[in-house]
Amino acid sequence: MSKVSRFVLAATFVLAAGGCSTAVQGTPTTAPSAPPTSVANPLASLKPCDLLEQVLQGLDYPPVAPDIVNKKLACSTHKPDGSDVMLLLNPDIPFTETPTNSGSSKVGTVNGRRALQMSDLGKVKGGCAIRLEVKPQANALLTAVSNTTAAEDCQLADQLATRLEPMLPRG
């Protein structure tokens, strides 16, 4: 599988990771007005490329760029050896401990922040994503995909999530 195909597949997983919902019974009503932007979107002041650039500092990755899938909320970089890293900010999607892949997953924390690690991302060989909670109703998803194993991708994703976590707002 080509590097671009692997990354597009991983990016598709990433977008799907935050977009699942369930039907709710009841009668629709008008929602109350949204709280101020800082509460409604705790990620509003963050730029994914600035964050990813800081997270990757000193790790010999090429410059980051807005991702082809979502230029406003996602940023990625690609090494010639096939290692891809992407950060997606999900401002309107609450953190969930429910995995969105058929591979393995584990719930835990990164520096005390709730996190979900998901590995074996579909048809990609290996791959690992870590979803970090950003209260009140958001999450950040960091994905690492390479030509190695899911275990190695998860080691990198863990290292990067540990660097990213202090940069995210606390609710």
Side-chain angles (χ1 to χ4, degrees), residues 56-162:
L56 295 171
Q57 192 171 21
L59 297 179
D60 196 34
Y61 274 86
V64 301
D67 191 71
I68 59 173
V69 175
N70 187 332
K71 293 178 190 278
K72 184 178 177 186
L73 298 175
C75 196
S76 59
T77 184
H78 319 284
K79 275 188 171 182
D81 70 0
S83 299
D84 302 330
V85 175
M86 183 167 91
L87 174 62
L88 173 66
L89 302 178
N90 289 309
D92 299 319
I93 302 170
F95 175 85
T96 177
E97 293 179 350
T98 305
T100 54
N101 65 321
S102 59
S104 62
S105 64
K106 68 179 183 179
V107 176
T109 61
V110 175
N111 297 334
R113 185 186 297 267
R114 286 192 324 158
L116 176 69
Q117 180 187 79
M118 298 166 281
S119 58
D120 295 319
L121 307 177
K123 296 181 181 183
V124 177
K125 176 187 175 186
C128 188
I130 297 180
R131 183 186 304 150
L132 297 168
E133 179 178 40
V134 181
K135 291 182 180 180
Q137 192 140 326
N139 73 80
L141 189 67
L142 189 109
T143 305
V145 179
S146 69
N147 290 322
T148 62
T149 66
E152 290 176 271
D153 291 338
C154 284
Q155 282 181 321
L156 175 60
D158 285 340
Q159 176 188 9
L160 300 179
T162 300

